[in-house]
Amino acid sequence: MGNLLKVLTCTELEQGPNFFLDFENAQPTDEEREVWNQVNSVLQDSDSILSGLQAYKGAGQEIRDAIQNPNDMTLQEKAWNAVCPLVIKLKTFYDFSTRLEEALKSLLESLTCPPLTPTQHLEREQALAKQFAEILHFTLRFDELKMRIPAIQNDFSYYRRTISRNRLNNMNLDIENQVNNEMANKMSLFYAEATPMLKTLSNATTNFVTENKTLPLDNTTDCLSTMASVCKVMLETPEYSSRFSSNETLLFCMRVMVGVIILYDHVHPNGAFNKSSKIDMKGCIKVLKDQPADNVEGLLNALKFTTKHLNDESTPKNIRAMLQTRSPETEGCCG
């Protein structure tokens, strides 16, 4: 349909407006085109980044052989030659995170600037809202994959140890033209995170708020909470979820919902789990737990381990209980 349609009006009993957003077909208007093109130039590389990460095999065997035979220069060279191309690939992923950070800031500027409210922005700039969702979707997918590949940190740790030794031995270090010591330090911090892309976006959102002191905080948090409400209502309402042509869009909605919750939790002083939160956390968690476990285990873990305020004293115990239990039945802990 390409339109952002209001399906429920805001009342005193609701936490905010709910919308149906056509994530599959929204197209940019002339007013959106400049920012949309800028962000699209980044997003068009996202599939190749995910494919590269998914195909990442690591150099575990070569590294083990080299460590076990420290005097065998043939094995040392073999391990080094196996690791260097992988480090270049890891740099490609890291570079993409910085591009994604700039794209997110551009979208936040467009979707939060006065005089329009965030809700009005989402109604009128639905293609930008879709791109915002696509960034979050990519981020959750990247981090889910990264957490399953311990070889990444092993390979990079070996690279950093070995390049120092090779430098002392005056070996050929052409790779330093691409990954010098400063870059290696940045990459090391990035890959040390369990969810590096989410950390990047959380920092970017926090920095956006800090750098735009004249912009009310509510403009940013309302944008995030409205997006969470959008996804929640589409997931829990068959009338709306049935409009999507692919089941993948439902998983897309889940990832986006979790992504905006995490960003909200990092930006809002009280977090997403507080009773004053504009996000219906009980409803969002229940929607996730009503889905097949294989689809949502990583998303529930993201809420448990990458949010800032879950374990605050102000977080209702039943919210924590909903995230800890593996049962799909949530009625017993929602009172």
Side-chain angles (χ1 to χ4, degrees):
M1 297 187 317
N3 291 323
L4 185 64
L5 303 175
K6 186 176 293 185
V7 295
L8 292 174
T9 58
C10 182
T11 71
E12 292 181 358
L13 297 178
E14 291 177 331
Q15 305 234 7
N18 293 299
F19 297 92
F20 179 87
L21 174 58
D22 191 346
F23 281 136
E24 295 178 331
N25 302 307
Q27 296 296 317
T29 62
D30 290 341
E31 291 76 13
E32 296 170 88
R33 182 70 63 179
E34 182 178 354
V35 174
W36 189 92
N37 284 339
Q38 175 190 340
V39 176
N40 187 58
S41 69
V42 178
L43 285 173
Q44 65 186 4
D45 294 331
S46 62
D47 284 344
S48 65
I49 293 293
L50 290 174
S51 296
L53 180 61
Q54 200 158 17
Y56 192 98
K57 299 302 181 186
Q61 186 60 54
E62 291 88 345
I63 291 173
R64 284 191 293 274
D65 290 344
I67 291 174
Q68 291 168 6
N69 301 275
N71 297 319
D72 189 326
M73 295 310 297
T74 299
L75 292 178
Q76 305 306 311
E77 186 175 347
K78 183 178 180 182
W80 180 248
N81 290 337
V83 164
C84 285
L86 295 173
V87 170
I88 298 302
K89 181 176 286 191
L90 293 177
K91 182 179 182 293
T92 301
F93 301 158
Y94 172 79
D95 288 342
F96 187 78
S97 76
T98 63
R99 295 174 61 203
L100 204 66
E101 182 176 2
E102 292 305 311
L104 178 68
K105 288 182 179 178
S106 295
L107 288 174
L108 286 173
E109 287 174 3
S110 296
L111 295 171
T112 62
C113 64
L116 299 182
T117 66
T119 297
Q120 289 170 330
H121 276 297
L122 292 173
E123 288 179 318
R124 302 182 189 190
E125 299 164 11
Q126 54 195 279
L128 298 186
K130 180 175 181 287
Q131 285 186 319
F132 187 16
E134 288 171 347
I135 286 177
L136 292 167
H137 179 248
F138 164 83
T139 296
L140 270 294
R141 289 182 68 195
F142 183 96
D143 287 347
E144 286 169 4
L145 288 171
K146 186 265 180 184
M147 285 191 285
R148 300 173 192 166
I149 310 175
I152 287 176
Q153 284 181 273
N154 294 336
D155 293 346
F156 199 70
S157 294
Y158 179 81
Y159 169 77
R160 299 198 72 189
R161 293 195 307 271
T162 305
I163 198 170
S164 298
R165 185 171 66 248
N166 289 352
R167 194 183 294 117
L168 290 174
N169 294 333
N170 296 316
M171 291 183 65
N172 183 10
L173 297 175
D174 289 342
I175 190 173
E176 281 200 294
N177 294 329
Q178 299 185 61
V179 184
N180 59 25
N181 193 55
E182 181 183 0
M183 175 57 66
N185 288 337
K186 293 178 180 179
M187 290 171 60
S188 181
L189 291 173
F190 178 77
Y191 287 110
E193 296 288 341
T195 53
M197 286 291 178
L198 263 178
K199 179 67 172 178
T200 297
L201 294 196
S202 296
N203 289 343
T205 308
T206 302
N207 291 339
F208 172 80
V209 170
T210 302
E211 293 164 4
N212 293 273
K213 297 184 184 299
T214 60
L215 183 71
L217 176 62
D218 284 351
N219 284 38
T220 302
T221 55
D222 284 355
C223 176
L224 299 173
S225 62
T226 300
M227 285 292 288
S229 181
V230 167
C231 295
K232 172 179 167 290
V233 79
M234 289 194 292
L235 289 166
E236 68 185 0
T237 310
E239 178 184 349
Y240 308 126
S241 59
S242 64
R243 296 180 185 179
F244 294 124
S245 62
S246 170
N247 286 334
E248 282 297 308
T249 309
L250 298 178
L251 186 54
F252 179 97
C253 289
M254 292 181 226
R255 289 196 177 105
V256 174
M257 182 177 73
V258 169
V260 289
I261 288 172
I262 292 170
L263 295 188
Y264 182 102
D265 190 67
H266 278 261
V267 171
H268 197 286
N270 297 325
F273 302 95
N274 192 281
K275 289 182 179 179
S276 64
S277 170
K278 292 185 179 180
I279 297 178
D280 174 14
M281 286 305 306
K282 289 182 185 178
C284 290
I285 295 171
K286 184 179 186 305
V287 162
L288 290 174
K289 300 192 78 170
D290 284 343
Q291 310 301 319
D294 289 346
N295 288 347
V296 299
E297 183 176 0
L299 299 179
L300 291 170
N301 284 337
L303 288 177
K304 284 189 282 188
F305 302 124
T306 64
T307 48
K308 288 178 61 177
H309 296 277
L310 176 62
N311 294 314
D312 288 359
E313 290 184 3
S314 59
T315 299
K317 292 181 180 179
N318 57 348
I319 295 291
R320 283 197 289 266
M322 289 177 72
L323 282 173
Q324 294 305 323
T325 179
R326 295 180 62 85
S327 170
E329 298 297 323
T330 58
E331 287 81 356
C333 58
C334 293

